[in-house]
Amino acid sequence: MRLLLIEDDDRIAGPLTEGLGRYGFTVDHVRTGSAGIVGADGSPDLVLLDLGLPDMDGLDVCRSLRARSAVPIIMITARGEEADRIVGLELGADDYLAKPFGVRELVARIRAVTRRTSGALPFPAPAHQAAPEAPGPQLLGSLELNRRTRQVHLSGAEVQLTPREFDLLAYLAEDPGTVYSRQQIMDTVWDPHFFGPTKTLDAHVAALRRKLGDPAWITTARGVGFRLTVPGHDPEPGVAGCPDAS
Ligand code: CA
């Protein structure tokens, strides 16, 4: 697996390249944002992007990379760059890691992001549960969600979602109307052992609401989590034609 590391600080890039090499990753290292954008044309499997770069804002690099390809992006940020992290996730980065971090932690994030963005289930499923996906797209009012092609159409027009935004929408759409807790969502859409602040979830929900053109698609169950609601339709659960025989 080939990684593109965009990081100007050799004291970080050196040990990182060496450490990732021990895990079997090949690392192409560049020190500027512009070199990173050029390097991304070489189709790396994943980009590690430092936000504090000498020649351009890391967020602009993120935007530029995302405009060109769906390559998974993990941002590397310094402490105190929380606002930047949220903006970066909205721009389409898949995850972030705050300095300082260990190589093992980074490798875990790389694997988690790769599993998600390759369209695989977030964690291994038993073989007998293979191919649980419905073959056709799921229709939710004016929204069409196709898990096989990972495409979303709204009133016939394709909506461009990042891999994580798609996973989040697809998860909530598994049972429209049902409230999924923040932890359930983090465990399923992010990582089975996600820990730490879940502001990234709010950023993704905000991005989805914006892209779907109506905040009513995802409603907040205050203090609990979120649910998918088809705007204009009765969100009440329990009317899905499953009579209780008792
Ligand atoms: Ca830097």
Side-chain angles (χ1 to χ4, degrees), residues 1 44-48 66 69-74 92-94 113-114 117 163:
M1 184 170 178
D45 297 305
L46 185 140
V47 174
L48 301 170
R66 184 49 77 232
S69 83
V71 63
I73 301 170
I74 297 179
D94 295 278
V113 165
T114 307
T117 54

Side-chain angles (χ1 to χ4, degrees), residues 83-157:
D84 281 353
R85 290 201 282 268
I86 292 173
V87 172
L89 293 169
E90 288 207 309
L91 288 175
D94 295 278
D95 206 348
Y96 67 82
L97 208 50
K99 295 172 188 172
F101 55 83
V103 171
R104 275 182 64 172
E105 187 182 2
L106 175 60
V107 168
R109 297 294 183 95
I110 290 171
R111 288 182 177 149
V113 165
T114 307
R115 271 200 308 274
R116 274 196 311 270
T117 54
S118 64
L121 291 168
F123 35 85
H128 66 269
Q129 282 183 9
E133 310 286 1
Q138 181 181 4
L139 296 174
L140 298 143
S142 55
L143 190 71
E144 185 185 302
L145 181 89
N146 193 324
R147 289 180 172 78
R148 191 173 58 79
T149 62
R150 297 180 64 83
Q151 284 176 308
V152 171
H153 288 81
L154 187 65
S155 303

